[in-house]
Amino acid sequence: MPRIHRKPVCSFRSVFLAYPVAAPRSRFSTRTGMEGNNTYAAAIDKLNSLQSGFAVLKERRRMGLKLDSSAVGEMRQWAHRIGYAPRDFDRLNIVHVAGTKGKGSACAYANSILTAYHTTVGLPKKIGLYTSPHLIAVRERMRINSELISESLFAKYFFEVWDALERSAVEQGLDPKHKPVYFRFLTLLSFHVFMREGVDAAIYEVGIGGAWDSTNIIEQPVATGITTLGIDHTEVLGETIEKIAWHKAGVFKAGCPAFSVAQLPAAATVLQQRAKEKKTLLRDIAIHPALHSINITPNEGFQRANASLAIALVDTVLKRLGIPRVGDETSLPEQYIEGLERTVWRGRCETKLDGDKTWYLDGAHTKESLEVAGHWFGRAARRSTPRILIFNQQSPRDAVSLMKSLHHSLYAEHGIRFDHVIFCTNKTYRKGYRSELANRNTDPISLSNLTLQREFAAAWVQLDRGSKANVVRTIEEAVEYVEQLSREGGEVQVLVTGSFHLVGGVLAILEGEGATA
């Protein structure tokens, strides 16, 4: 996942003491993080065991079971089980961001601006950033002062939460084997990490939706934000933009400022209705005029919208923390400019030079985001250099149509053709997954038979008979294929898109075993 190249920011307070607050000792055992079997590797193994798994997900779909409002109640119970009340997290001064596209980028921008303030004025003291998914290492999801927490610290806090859940289960006569699923556990862990580390400003990216998301136990955020809405996760959120907007607006809280980038009219109407229901004022954010003279990456309209939202969110945080903001509505303080220009959010419109190979990496996985990725590559690609596409998409219903959306934006609108197209699974290596990229939620039979990849290849050949379509089993083999083509023909351009897991796997192979993003 993305590394934000910035200096430290805030400091979060822990639970139950005065300031800084410490989590209740009775609930958490004392660990150094690498004792006995409580290593980082052991933590990752246990974390992976919390993935629901394909068979369970398939049965839930068969029975028509979906995420509902009970999910938030369950998350509150998990928090209580490790000694926290959700109101304790208000001490973190949280910015809560939902949306379909760009919410990670908006969070990264806000984090980066706050880091610049930390560097220049010393406040916030520590800044927590919680995002998903990770690209390479799970620790990318939890950053303090823009830095990944160490493996030893991750392991220490992981097993504090794990053991606290097991002890509380025994005390309450519950099954200690029953744990929160993968994302819920990480969200619970993030709260614990930030509280124990004394974070005093935090930015939380919603996982899926908003109303019933695991992060939505936050009771009084400093501000909430909504990035561009589109169609995604329809099996959970519904198939219309109105239903999706209803879910996203679930992060609004009474009396807490709310902001949104420009939306489709139908979505905007629902957001305003929900704001009234939630007793808050929703402010629509236009592109900030100063952004036209600031170097943000990529320098695209959608990214200026994300940056504009981040500016509004940071304004609110600074006001809460009593930090003066110099300038007017048409200009930006130096800390904002520095923060925006220095933000690096990897795997999103990322360009990576590697000898004769130029890699273009974007984790787009919805129709709208794939079209954006296509436009970005269409403008960036050199017409005279051979081009290669590496693509995968694991959507159970519309993967091929998503691929066709990408093809249309590239071919019809930019005249971009590929000499070679490679379809692979998200499996990292021939020997298996990199441990932190393991995915147990994919159909193992389809994966083994390369069912989707063969469908992609067949559909692509119908769209462009001039491309050579290839199906390989792993990301490792896809990268090796590119390297072979480069050795034989020299300079190549490679677009990698369709999945964050795919992009993360490519980066892991290119950058080596110890890589993080």
Side-chain angles (χ1 to χ4, degrees):
M1 180 173 254
R3 184 187 300 277
I4 308 171
H5 300 290
R6 295 207 147 289
K7 300 174 184 176
V9 187
C10 310
S11 163
F12 263 32
R13 317 310 179 198
S14 305
V15 192
F16 293 135
L17 294 184
Y19 185 76
V21 190
R25 291 289 179 189
S26 60
R27 189 61 75 196
F28 298 106
S29 59
T30 301
R31 294 185 179 278
T32 63
M34 292 295 187
E35 300 168 353
N37 291 325
N38 296 325
T39 62
Y40 181 68
I44 297 302
D45 286 343
K46 286 186 178 295
L47 178 63
N48 285 337
S49 75
L50 301 179
Q51 294 186 39
S52 298
F54 176 76
V56 171
L57 294 175
K58 182 179 180 181
E59 181 63 13
R60 287 178 62 86
R61 284 193 292 268
R62 188 190 69 79
M63 297 177 66
L65 298 177
K66 295 183 178 181
L67 188 71
D68 58 29
S69 58
S70 66
V72 176
E74 291 170 4
M75 192 65 187
R76 290 194 185 101
Q77 292 173 19
W78 290 121
H80 282 292
R81 288 266 301 274
I82 65 169
Y84 295 103
R87 66 178 176 276
D88 296 326
F89 305 139
D90 294 343
R91 297 169 186 168
L92 301 179
N93 294 313
I94 294 173
V95 166
H96 201 191
V97 182
T100 306
K101 297 176 292 182
K103 60 185 187 290
S105 295
C107 289
Y109 280 130
N111 175 82
S112 193
I113 297 169
L114 288 174
T115 299
Y117 271 91
H118 166 81
T119 302
T120 56
V121 303
L123 291 173
K125 293 180 180 177
K126 283 189 180 179
I127 302 161
L129 176 64
Y130 179 66
T131 59
S132 60
H134 62 277
L135 283 178
I136 304 174
V138 172
R139 294 176 296 122
E140 295 162 18
R141 297 176 183 239
M142 282 168 248
R143 302 169 194 260
I144 296 179
N145 292 343
S146 298
E147 298 295 329
L148 279 65
I149 63 173
S150 67
E151 291 186 358
S152 61
L153 203 62
F154 182 96
K156 173 183 184 292
Y157 288 135
F158 179 95
F159 283 106
E160 284 185 358
V161 172
W162 186 275
D163 293 349
L165 289 171
E166 295 203 333
R167 277 195 300 276
S168 63
V170 172
E171 291 167 4
Q172 298 174 32
L174 304 172
D175 183 359
K177 294 181 180 178
H178 181 54
K179 303 283 195 314
V181 293
Y182 190 97
F183 182 75
R184 289 189 190 183
F185 189 96
L186 284 172
T187 302
L188 198 64
L189 177 60
S190 75
F191 286 126
H192 179 55
V193 169
F194 293 164
M195 294 293 276
R196 289 294 291 266
E197 287 296 305
V199 167
D200 56 354
I203 302 151
Y204 267 76
E205 177 188 3
V206 167
I208 295 177
W212 302 336
D213 186 70
S214 303
T215 62
N216 206 31
I217 61 172
I218 300 165
E219 294 188 349
Q220 286 290 298
V222 172
T224 58
I226 308 291
T227 62
T228 303
L229 300 183
I231 305 298
D232 193 19
H233 299 296
T234 54
E235 68 282 359
V236 175
L237 307 180
E239 299 194 0
T240 67
I241 197 70
E242 291 89 348
K243 290 180 179 179
I244 289 170
W246 185 93
H247 276 278
K248 304 292 184 180
V251 299
F252 295 163
K253 301 295 188 301
C256 300
F259 304 91
S260 173
V261 303
Q263 306 287 355
L264 293 172
T269 298
V270 174
L271 292 180
Q272 288 292 349
Q273 290 171 346
R274 289 280 274 161
K276 290 179 182 177
E277 292 170 12
K278 297 281 187 176
K279 296 181 172 57
T280 189
L281 177 66
L282 174 62
R283 177 182 162 197
D284 295 326
I285 300 299
I287 301 296
H288 196 287
L291 290 174
H292 295 290
S293 58
I294 293 175
N295 182 27
I296 62 172
T297 304
N299 190 16
E300 304 280 355
F302 68 86
Q303 200 69 319
R304 286 191 287 273
N306 295 329
S308 299
L309 178 63
I311 290 167
L313 295 170
V314 170
D315 284 348
T316 310
V317 174
L318 296 183
K319 185 176 181 180
R320 168 66 66 87
L321 297 179
I323 302 172
R325 181 214 195 270
V326 179
D328 55 33
E329 292 186 357
T330 61
S331 63
L332 289 173
E334 184 59 35
Q335 292 95 334
Y336 281 69
I337 296 171
E338 179 193 347
L340 292 168
E341 291 190 336
R342 292 182 59 189
T343 300
V344 177
W345 200 226
R346 299 200 64 188
R348 286 84 170 169
C349 296
E350 177 179 355
T351 303
K352 180 178 177 64
L353 300 177
D354 178 24
D356 284 337
K357 301 173 289 294
T358 303
W359 298 84
Y360 298 85
L361 305 109
D362 192 283
H365 56 282
T366 68
K367 180 179 183 294
E368 293 88 350
S369 61
L370 282 165
E371 289 172 350
V372 168
H375 294 317
W376 165 67
F377 182 74
R379 287 188 287 271
R382 300 180 298 280
R383 293 299 190 269
S384 59
T385 305
R387 290 178 291 275
I388 304 167
L389 170 67
I390 301 178
F391 183 89
N392 190 41
Q393 230 292 333
Q394 293 299 141
S395 172
R397 295 194 306 167
D398 56 1
V400 172
S401 66
L402 291 173
M403 182 202 72
K404 290 180 177 179
S405 296
L406 174 66
H407 177 276
H408 181 267
S409 68
L410 286 164
Y411 281 62
E413 300 186 34
H414 292 279
I416 293 290
R417 304 176 65 84
F418 289 95
D419 301 276
H420 297 267
V421 182
I422 306 168
F423 300 105
C424 63
T425 70
N426 288 338
K427 189 175 178 181
T428 322
Y429 309 113
R430 289 180 178 85
K431 64 184 180 183
Y433 286 99
R434 177 185 169 104
S435 62
E436 296 182 66
L437 298 178
N439 186 349
R440 303 179 183 182
N441 297 335
T442 304
D443 182 352
I445 296 175
S446 174
L447 205 63
S448 176
N449 295 336
L450 300 175
T451 305
L452 264 178
Q453 289 68 37
R454 297 186 195 282
E455 289 180 13
F456 289 145
W460 192 276
V461 168
Q462 294 301 313
L463 295 170
D464 180 11
R465 297 186 181 276
S467 295
K468 183 176 180 181
N470 306 272
V471 172
V472 298
R473 191 166 294 279
T474 67
I475 297 172
E476 180 179 37
E477 291 166 271
V479 172
E480 288 175 353
Y481 192 95
V482 169
E483 290 173 342
Q484 178 186 336
L485 292 172
S486 179
R487 284 193 300 270
E488 294 173 352
E491 189 177 2
V492 295
Q493 300 172 100
V494 190
L495 173 62
V496 182
T497 192
S499 163
F500 277 118
H501 298 289
L502 171 64
V503 168
V506 169
L507 287 172
I509 290 168
L510 294 178
E511 298 180 3
E513 215 24 67
T516 60

